[in-house]
Amino acid sequence: MLASSYPLIDLNTFHMDVKAQWFASFKSKAELRALLADSRISEEPLLILGGGSNILFTEDFEGIVLKNNIKGIQVFEETNESILVDVGAGENWHQFVVKAVDNGWAGIENLSLIPGSVGASPIQNIGAYGVEVKDVITSVEAVNILTKESRQFSQAECQFGYRDSIFKQEEKGKWIITKVRFALMKNAVLNTTYGAIKDTLNKMGISIPTVKDVSRAVIAIRQSKLPDPAQLGNAGSFFKNPEISINQFNSLKENYPAIVSYPIDATKVKVPAGWLIETAGWKGKNFGTYGVYKDQSLVLVNYGNADGNDIKKLAQSITHSIWEMFGIQLEIEVNII
Ligand code: FAD
Ligand code: EPU
């Protein structure tokens, strides 16, 4: 049953006060298929919603919003070394991480405290602190919106990249992810290469960390620089970190000796967009109802009653200024609706 004129303010972490023309949630593939049988599905725009933590609504959604509530965390296969776990797409990502960490299953502890649902995690290949979800995904199950058939995408078929997958490219808008299979490790091989993790563990007085220690360190780092969406509306990084050629980087370094970079390959580096935006003077800018977060310039925030269009325009102004100052084209990470 589709409800009409449904408020979305509590279903998006930017807290945009918009409505869906039609709305329903589903707890199983059967419920999803029943909803997809509605004739309006082929006629109206459709939006699949998880936790709403990577979306900026700029207006009411004139179409159908379907919220994924498929739950369940089940061990599919277990050996002495590893564990394959099937997780319903509507599970909360961080709650799944907590369960894995509590069981001593390693692989996703660096991805602690990322908001949103398990089903959205493959879409932009969520990543943080040296780990991307592609490192632990073995397959993704999805239902085709037109045919209602279910199919498995292997890890390779997902074509994962930095904040990218086939679900953002040629298969965009065609599938509803219902389940994700993860391969986690029982004998932890921890990734503490990200400098801030090592420093935080040192400050915590931990020299031989456990899976739980790394998770705690990541949570502490994130809480120190990212706003809690429950307190301050936001969708995490608004932009991707751009990749530029080493030649361009070297010439920028002459004018900006402090510029930061991460190696990609022999010809390219990644530059933190947060550094560019801060250097261009945007950090902490407050425009009344919206602005740039004071501790992390990649994050645009809603101070209360912001209009999504103002945040979109701010993003455009930032993009323009970064182009003018550095000759670097920023790309927006958040889905603007
Ligand atoms: P939504 O915002 O609901 O949806 C995002 C997109 O996926 C939409 O296009 C939607 O239609 C589609 N979608 C959602 N579920 C499905 C499904 N089941 N089937 C098909 N399509 C679907 N991201 C990172 O990668 N790393 C971070 O460190 C990080 N930190 C963040 C910190 C904060 C404070 C916030 C607010 C966000 C952060 N994010 C981060 C972004 C966000 O958490 C992720 O993109 C997350 O995966 C979004 O999940 P969601 O369920 O909220 O997706
Ligand atoms: N920086 C600044 N000023 C700022 C922000 C950052 O100079 O205002 C500098 C930092 O000092 C540091 C560098 O930029 O040298 C990187 O900063 P940080 O470690 O905070 O990470 P990030 O590159 O800004 C990325 C992801 C985050 C992820 C973190 C941790 C993207 C677009 N963002 O941010 O993901 O949590 O790394 O791995 O890749 C998200 O996608 O929503 C998100 C939050």
Side-chain angles (χ1 to χ4, degrees):
M1 263 288 285
L2 295 173
S4 64
S5 199
Y6 194 88
L8 297 176
I9 188 165
D10 295 330
L11 298 179
N12 74 94
T13 60
F14 252 122
H15 307 307
M16 288 298 140
D17 190 3
V18 294
K19 289 192 171 66
Q21 185 182 9
W22 306 104
F23 177 89
S25 61
F26 54 92
K27 295 194 293 297
S28 65
K29 274 202 283 185
E31 282 186 16
L32 170 60
R33 287 203 174 96
L35 286 166
L36 292 179
D38 192 301
S39 60
R40 284 166 287 187
I41 289 287
S42 54
E43 292 155 11
E44 304 281 352
L46 178 66
L47 175 71
I48 309 304
L49 194 60
S53 64
N54 206 28
I55 288 182
L56 172 67
F57 287 105
T58 55
E59 57 190 2
D60 289 344
F61 189 76
E62 300 298 338
I64 302 169
V65 172
L66 296 182
K67 174 148 167 56
N68 188 331
N69 280 340
I70 298 179
K71 294 284 162 55
I73 302 180
Q74 273 164 349
V75 173
F76 174 73
E77 202 177 280
E78 193 168 355
T79 68
N80 286 339
E81 292 88 36
S82 66
I83 188 140
L84 287 180
V85 203
D86 286 340
V87 187
E91 286 283 348
N92 174 272
W93 172 262
H94 180 65
Q95 291 311 315
F96 169 49
V97 175
V98 168
K99 177 156 180 143
V101 167
D102 284 348
N103 286 329
W105 303 338
I108 50 176
E109 56 284 351
N110 294 46
L111 304 178
S112 296
L113 213 62
I114 296 181
S117 61
V118 166
S121 67
I123 303 225
Q124 73 153 5
N125 178 24
I126 57 168
Y129 301 100
V131 172
E132 289 181 316
V133 77
K134 73 169 174 58
D135 304 335
V136 290
I137 286 181
T138 64
S139 64
V140 170
E141 181 197 84
V143 168
N144 186 288
I145 291 170
L146 286 183
T147 65
K148 304 183 199 59
E149 278 163 28
S150 200
R151 86 158 254 205
Q152 301 276 341
F153 289 81
S154 68
Q155 202 265 11
E157 284 170 333
C158 290
Q159 296 178 19
F160 289 119
Y162 166 61
R163 296 295 190 272
D164 201 17
S165 75
I166 196 166
F167 304 107
K168 285 179 74 179
Q169 300 297 334
E170 64 253 43
E171 297 299 326
K172 188 178 164 80
K174 296 184 189 161
W175 299 90
I176 299 176
I177 294 175
T178 47
K179 194 159 71 180
V180 185
R181 179 166 293 168
F182 299 90
L184 303 177
M185 288 159 295
K186 287 187 175 173
N187 305 313
V189 181
L190 300 171
N191 182 339
T192 56
T193 46
Y194 222 85
I197 297 185
K198 275 197 198 116
D199 294 346
T200 308
L201 287 168
N202 283 342
K203 277 186 206 137
M204 288 159 67
I206 292 162
S207 51
I208 306 172
T210 61
V211 179
K212 194 168 241 167
D213 293 330
V214 173
S215 173
R216 281 170 51 219
V218 168
I219 288 172
I221 300 165
R222 294 182 67 95
Q223 285 175 333
S224 73
K225 53 169 88 172
L226 290 168
D228 176 357
Q231 315 290 330
L232 190 59
N234 76 93
S237 299
F238 206 90
F239 305 93
K240 292 187 191 179
N241 286 333
E243 294 180 4
I244 61 170
S245 71
I246 288 190
N247 289 344
Q248 184 179 9
F249 178 75
N250 287 337
S251 59
L252 280 170
K253 206 167 168 61
E254 286 172 18
N255 288 333
Y256 304 98
I259 190 168
V260 185
S261 74
Y262 304 108
I264 298 178
D265 57 30
T267 58
K268 289 193 292 296
V269 292
K270 203 185 268 184
V271 178
W275 186 90
L276 299 170
I277 297 168
E278 177 173 347
T279 306
W282 291 98
K283 191 173 191 175
K285 285 258 183 205
N286 185 324
F287 300 94
T289 56
Y290 62 98
V292 181
Y293 189 54
K294 63 179 175 42
D295 296 329
Q296 169 47 288
S297 316
L298 258 190
V299 181
L300 306 187
V301 292
N302 172 11
Y303 290 116
N305 301 318
D307 180 333
N309 284 300
D310 287 335
I311 294 176
K312 184 179 166 187
K313 280 190 208 131
L314 170 60
Q316 287 163 346
S317 302
I318 291 174
T319 306
H320 181 71
S321 98
I322 298 306
W323 174 253
E324 293 280 297
M325 192 163 172
F326 302 103
I328 294 176
Q329 185 65 49
L330 287 185
E331 199 184 326
I332 287 175
E333 191 210 77
V334 169
N335 300 278
I336 299 180
I337 309 280

